[in-house]
Amino acid sequence: GVAEGCMEDFVTRNGLEQLFPIPRCEREVSAMLEAGKSDDEIKTWVGEAISDPDRDVGQCLMRCVLKNMVKELGGKEKLQAVNDETKLIDAEEKKALEKHKGLLSAFLEKECDQAYALFAVQRFAQDLEFPKGFLSRILATLYDLEILEENSIKDWRNPPDNRHPFLLNSKKLFTQSELIEATKQSKAFMDWLENETEDV
């Protein structure tokens, strides 16, 4: 395959950003988040830079916001220091994500796009080597902030066969052991969500 940096150089050199907008989007949005730009400024940039933002853009924005949150909170080590597995929402993580609720919500309106973005959350947690309780906390926080809907979370866990084949394809990008680990890492939140649903 083509190395990520080489592909990005090729795309830029040949003026193909409109065909392959995600590398540029990730680079620019990450820089804007780091510089403290507002959600409105970022939304405006995305709208101008990408002619037809799709679910890949929503997934890209989710990755950027999570990376920015981890950096703001002091890195992976800080996440591993949150040891209370019974606590589903960490106040600092919630505050960091809440700042970008408008940005994420604007590009994750559909449940299927939310479910698709959750595969980026899963990969992000996996790349951090699953800090204790992190995946459950992020899911709980995104749900609490109403960025995610219950059905999108269920579709992420068990993509339906009869609609949205891109969800099944996203799930296939993970090995069986990676999927099992993500299930274990999200169990606290999924159990809570199931009980919450039963109580309604």
Side-chain angles (χ1 to χ4, degrees):
V2 178
E4 195 171 307
C6 294
M7 178 65 169
E8 192 174 334
D9 289 344
F10 176 82
V11 167
T12 304
R13 247 190 346 268
N14 293 289
L16 301 173
E17 278 96 357
Q18 285 300 322
L19 292 175
F20 304 101
I22 300 306
R24 178 175 176 225
C25 181
E26 191 142 355
R27 185 179 64 247
E28 294 291 334
V29 170
S30 292
M32 293 174 85
L33 287 168
E34 202 168 319
K37 300 288 185 189
S38 72
D39 281 5
D40 287 339
E41 290 173 295
I42 297 170
K43 284 191 277 189
T44 299
W45 180 86
V46 171
E48 291 171 357
I50 301 172
S51 58
D52 188 20
D54 60 8
R55 70 181 61 92
D56 289 321
V57 172
Q59 195 178 65
C60 171
L61 295 173
M62 180 67 81
R63 270 193 312 274
C64 292
V65 167
L66 289 173
K67 284 179 190 174
N68 187 67
M69 178 199 78
V70 170
K71 190 178 255 185
E72 264 184 30
L73 296 179
K76 177 177 147 181
E77 297 73 27
K78 173 75 168 96
L79 297 177
Q80 290 170 329
V82 180
N83 279 327
D84 187 354
E85 283 191 70
T86 62
K87 185 166 75 168
L88 277 179
I89 295 179
D90 177 77
E92 288 183 33
E93 291 170 354
K94 181 176 180 177
K95 185 178 173 187
L97 288 174
E98 193 166 22
K99 287 192 300 191
H100 303 295
K101 176 182 177 177
L103 176 64
L104 293 173
S105 295
F107 292 93
L108 298 174
E109 291 179 4
K110 297 179 193 167
E111 287 179 357
C112 60
D113 294 345
Q114 294 169 21
Y116 186 67
L118 284 174
F119 287 104
V121 174
Q122 178 180 341
R123 176 72 65 196
F124 186 76
Q126 179 180 307
D127 290 347
L128 290 175
E129 298 170 355
F130 289 114
K132 201 172 204 171
F134 177 73
L135 185 56
S136 274
R137 289 195 313 273
I138 295 304
L139 292 172
T141 303
L142 291 169
Y143 179 75
D144 184 63
L145 292 172
E146 298 179 350
I147 295 168
L148 298 179
E149 296 174 44
E150 182 180 344
N151 287 338
S152 65
I153 297 164
K154 290 178 178 176
D155 284 352
W156 161 68
R157 278 293 290 274
N158 297 301
D161 293 333
N162 57 349
R163 58 185 166 88
H164 312 310
F166 58 88
L167 294 178
L168 280 171
N169 293 337
S170 294
K171 187 172 184 172
K172 289 176 186 174
L173 295 174
F174 293 89
T175 66
Q176 196 59 37
S177 63
E178 290 170 341
L179 292 169
I180 290 168
E181 187 60 29
T183 299
K184 284 177 17 188
Q185 295 294 331
S186 61
K187 184 177 180 346
F189 171 69
M190 296 306 289
D191 288 351
W192 175 87
L193 186 62
E194 195 173 308
N195 291 333
E196 182 76 7
T197 306
E198 286 172 5
D199 292 344
V200 173

